[in-house]
């Protein structure tokens, strides 16, 4: 009888572990797929590193918002920059589209774009929030502060 209970308990435990693993893997896969696409950075917020209270915040200018930050399915990050043409008052592309490799580490939630690392603080189908991995102590309190960049599709 003990063998039956032990066998049953083992099957239940193994089954529950594999279900959790597949759910976590699926969740990580969904998150990594959610940031694939074209994004526009519209806001930056600096948070106090000790208290997470805002130190400063600013909305990006029209042409900065038009810049395209694209993550492709083949691990390429494409950046298209725009500048205001003073004679037409319209944004126009400057330079070529810049291409960089990127990788996403699901275990740590870190996005690495050509050696620059960011924490993915939030991502869904419409918004992406990236936190600089290593930011400086802007307010001089001895703790590195946090810079959050907000993007929308």
């Amino acid at each position: 009888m003990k063998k039956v209970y032990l066998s049953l308990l083992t099957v239940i435990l193994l089954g529950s572990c594999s279900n959790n693993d597949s759910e976590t893997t699926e969740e990580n896969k969904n998150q990594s797929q959610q940031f694939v696409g074209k994004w526009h950075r519209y806001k930056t917020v600096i948070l106090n590193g000790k208290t997470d209270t805002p130190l400063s915040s600013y909305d990006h200018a029209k042409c900065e918002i038009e810049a395209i930050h694209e993550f492709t399915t083949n691990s390429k990050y494409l950046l298209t920059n725009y500048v205001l043409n003073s004679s037409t008052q319209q944004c126009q592309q400057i330079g070529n589209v810049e291409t960089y490799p990127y990788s996403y580490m699901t275990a740590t939630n870190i996005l690495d774009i050509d050696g620059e690392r960011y924490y993915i603080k939030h991502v869904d189908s419409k918004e992406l929030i990236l936190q600089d991995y290593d930011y400086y102590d802007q307010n001089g309190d001895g703790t590195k502060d946090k810079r959050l960049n907000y993007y929308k599709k």
Side-chain angles (χ1 to χ4, degrees):
M1 192 67 162
K2 283 184 182 181
K3 287 182 182 181
V4 172
Y5 286 128
L6 185 57
S7 296
L8 186 58
L9 181 61
T10 302
V11 169
I12 290 171
L13 288 175
L14 288 176
S16 65
C17 288
S18 63
N19 286 342
N20 288 342
D21 290 345
S22 63
E23 287 173 12
T24 301
T25 302
E26 189 64 30
E27 184 178 304
N28 288 339
K29 181 180 176 186
N30 288 340
Q31 184 172 10
S32 67
Q33 291 302 311
Q34 284 185 324
F35 67 80
V36 169
K38 294 180 180 181
W39 297 91
H40 302 275
R41 184 173 59 187
Y42 66 95
K43 178 173 73 170
T44 297
V45 176
I46 309 299
L47 300 177
N48 181 304
K50 288 183 179 178
T51 64
D52 280 346
T53 56
L55 295 173
S56 63
S57 174
Y58 59 92
D59 295 328
H60 290 270
K62 175 185 174 186
C63 295
E64 289 176 310
I65 293 172
E66 284 196 27
I68 301 168
H69 304 261
E70 182 177 3
F71 296 94
T72 67
T73 56
N74 63 345
S75 299
K76 296 290 181 195
Y77 168 73
L78 308 174
L79 176 60
T80 307
N81 284 304
Y82 291 84
V83 66
L84 185 65
N85 180 322
S86 58
S87 61
T88 64
Q89 295 301 304
Q90 298 294 315
C91 298
Q92 66 183 38
Q93 182 178 334
I94 55 168
N96 295 322
V97 175
E98 299 171 33
T99 304
Y100 304 99
Y102 80 84
S103 62
Y104 173 61
M105 291 148 272
T106 57
T108 57
N109 218 25
I110 293 178
L111 177 66
D112 184 300
I113 303 171
D114 195 35
E116 294 289 325
R117 296 187 298 175
Y118 304 89
Y119 291 111
I120 296 181
K121 296 299 285 182
H122 172 79
V123 64
D124 61 29
S125 62
K126 296 181 182 182
E127 185 174 54
L128 170 65
I129 304 171
L130 297 180
Q131 177 187 325
D132 285 19
Y133 182 79
D134 191 28
Y135 196 63
Y136 70 99
D137 179 13
Q138 182 173 320
N139 62 351
D141 67 356
T143 301
K144 288 184 180 181
D145 298 311
K146 300 172 185 175
R147 182 171 68 178
L148 304 177
N149 290 303
Y150 289 74
Y151 299 81
K152 61 183 173 181
K153 276 195 176 176

